[in-house]
Amino acid sequence: MGAYILRRLLLVIPTLLGIMLLNFALIQFVPGGPIETIIARMEGGGDVFEAISGSSADAEMIEANDTETNYAGARGLSKEFIAELEVQFGFDKPPFERFLKMMWDYVRFDFGESYFRSISVVDLVLEKMPVSITLGLWSTLIAYFISIPLGIKKAIRDGSRFDTWTSGAIIVGYAIPGFLFAILLIVLFAGGSYWRVFPLRGLTSSNFDDLTMIGQLMDYLWHIALPVLASTISSFATLTLLTKNSFLDEIKKQYVITARAKGLGERQVLYGHVFRNAMLIVISGFPALFVSVFFGGSLIIETLFSLDGLGRLGFEAVVARDYPVVFGTLFTFTLIGLVVGILTDITYVFIDPRIDFEGRG
């Protein structure tokens, strides 16, 4: 197992390098950039997209006057000022040189500072982290704590009315988009049209610091109830049906028939023998599921409930061409994702020691 983990760790390096190189290359062909954004703001433009596109009349004027710069919207700014901006953002160097410098900084976990927020990328991510931890951790735990018992119950009572009705409810829940369910919750329980039972904004109340420890805990749970429920609803179906199918597959195997023939009780057969094998694929996927929810939080749900998390941070960074935030978070999340893949394999071995990755060709 040690040699396998070492090989996987060594494979992280070229994989991470390839992902960063591909995304960096794609960025070079995307119109606009941080300098365009600054110019658009100084010229009074609405946003970076207007600065990129401009009007047809402006384009004809630029061509006619043989403008000194390639930046749309820079007509009222001097060439020297544009050059200073390029030096400030490092765009006076060739792309390959910029990429090598960026990777050297990232290897030392120096992700630089946001172009537009005057704060380091690390501090910016840490600032948004509580929202993502809340949505990711609670959504994953609730999904597992409900889906596993429900899936086992459905497997035991396969074909019964309970199995049929719960399957229908699960399919309906899976078919409803998370954002649509979030809107329904807001309309019903957050003062949209009916009852104002839960708050609509933030993770805590304005008087959070003045509350007792129990009061703070209750206030926190009160605020996260609706967004966590909205982000969890669609994950029930996959986990529940995966648990049920895993149990059904194991129940039909020979070792279960043998255990029953030896006189073991049904409960002992299910939870003493079947459970460990059936839960292998379900439990081992916990790290990957948590990371996917944690770093891929729903932008729409965060927006609906006024939660400033990593989902909104990533979207805003891409729109504003805030490259340190875009590439810094991409590097960190990709690295964590690759490490989680290794942890998933280790989890497989921990749950079932019979699995031997060293024996794989």
Side-chain angles (χ1 to χ4, degrees):
M1 188 64 182
Y4 171 78
I5 294 176
L6 180 60
R7 289 198 302 269
R8 288 290 302 272
L9 288 174
L10 292 177
L11 189 61
V12 166
I13 299 175
T15 304
L16 184 60
L17 183 63
I19 292 174
M20 296 299 296
L21 179 59
L22 177 61
N23 284 273
F24 185 85
L26 290 175
I27 285 294
Q28 308 309 309
F29 299 99
V30 175
I35 296 179
E36 286 276 5
T37 302
I38 292 178
I39 292 174
R41 293 177 180 177
M42 297 183 67
E43 294 284 337
D47 54 33
V48 66
F49 299 113
E50 293 181 7
I52 294 171
S53 58
S55 64
S56 57
D58 289 339
E60 293 175 359
M61 185 182 299
I62 291 173
E63 291 179 2
N65 294 335
D66 190 22
T67 182
E68 295 179 333
T69 176
N70 292 325
Y71 294 105
R75 296 176 297 279
L77 302 176
S78 67
K79 183 178 179 180
E80 291 75 16
F81 180 78
I82 301 299
E84 291 179 5
L85 287 179
E86 289 181 339
V87 173
Q88 177 181 348
F89 290 110
F91 289 103
D92 58 323
K93 300 180 178 63
F96 187 68
E97 183 178 343
R98 299 203 310 269
F99 177 76
L100 291 179
K101 182 181 183 304
M102 181 184 73
M103 292 307 300
W104 173 245
D105 291 337
Y106 286 3
V107 167
R108 297 175 293 157
F109 292 96
D110 179 10
F111 301 113
E113 186 175 283
S114 169
Y115 284 159
F116 306 109
R117 306 193 186 206
S118 299
I119 183 175
S120 70
V121 174
V122 174
D123 292 338
L124 190 58
V125 170
L126 292 177
E127 178 184 317
K128 314 298 182 184
M129 196 74 77
V131 172
S132 297
I133 290 178
T134 294
L135 292 178
L137 182 60
W138 285 111
S139 298
T140 306
L141 289 177
I142 292 174
Y144 268 85
F145 285 153
I146 295 179
S147 297
I148 290 179
L150 181 59
I152 295 174
K153 188 73 171 178
K154 286 174 62 64
I156 296 174
R157 303 180 60 178
D158 183 40
S160 66
R161 293 182 62 183
F162 172 81
D163 181 39
T164 303
W165 283 104
T166 53
S167 294
I170 288 172
I171 292 174
V172 171
Y174 182 74
I176 299 176
F179 74 91
L180 186 60
F181 188 65
I183 294 175
L184 177 63
L185 292 176
I186 291 174
V187 171
L188 292 178
F189 303 111
S193 298
Y194 295 92
W195 306 281
R196 188 173 183 82
V197 180
F198 295 96
L200 182 59
R201 298 177 177 275
L203 287 179
T204 57
S205 301
S206 57
N207 62 336
F208 181 79
D209 294 334
D210 300 329
L211 301 175
T212 63
M213 183 177 297
I214 300 297
Q216 290 179 344
L217 176 61
M218 297 304 297
D219 183 74
Y220 170 73
L221 295 176
W222 184 45
H223 278 76
I224 68 172
L226 295 187
V228 167
L229 182 59
S231 63
T232 307
I233 187 68
S234 62
S235 61
F236 286 134
T238 303
L239 280 174
T240 302
L241 296 180
L242 179 62
T243 302
K244 175 190 174 181
N245 293 333
S246 297
F247 255 77
L248 289 177
D249 289 341
E250 293 296 326
I251 289 174
K252 298 175 183 178
K253 292 184 177 179
Q254 184 62 42
Y255 75 90
V256 177
I257 299 175
T258 303
R260 287 170 174 167
K262 290 182 179 180
L264 295 179
E266 191 67 16
R267 189 176 186 84
Q268 188 175 0
V269 171
L270 288 175
Y271 294 100
H273 294 77
V274 175
F275 182 83
R276 184 171 186 176
N277 295 325
M279 287 297 98
L280 176 62
I281 190 174
V282 178
I283 298 177
S284 61
F286 180 87
L289 178 62
F290 169 68
V291 170
S292 66
V293 178
F294 179 64
F295 293 128
S298 173
L299 168 65
I300 299 179
I301 290 179
E302 289 182 8
T303 302
L304 288 174
F305 290 99
S306 300
L307 299 174
D308 196 7
L310 294 177
R312 290 182 62 181
L313 172 65
F315 174 77
E316 292 171 358
V318 171
V319 171
R321 305 295 194 266
D322 198 346
Y323 293 153
V325 177
V326 173
F327 286 112
T329 52
L330 175 65
F331 179 88
T332 304
F333 299 164
T334 302
L335 179 61
I336 293 177
L338 293 172
V339 172
V340 165
I342 300 175
L343 294 178
T344 300
D345 289 344
I346 296 175
T347 307
Y348 272 114
V349 177
F350 178 77
I351 296 175
D352 190 350
R354 295 173 300 176
I355 296 178
D356 182 16
F357 289 106
E358 296 289 350
R360 299 170 62 180

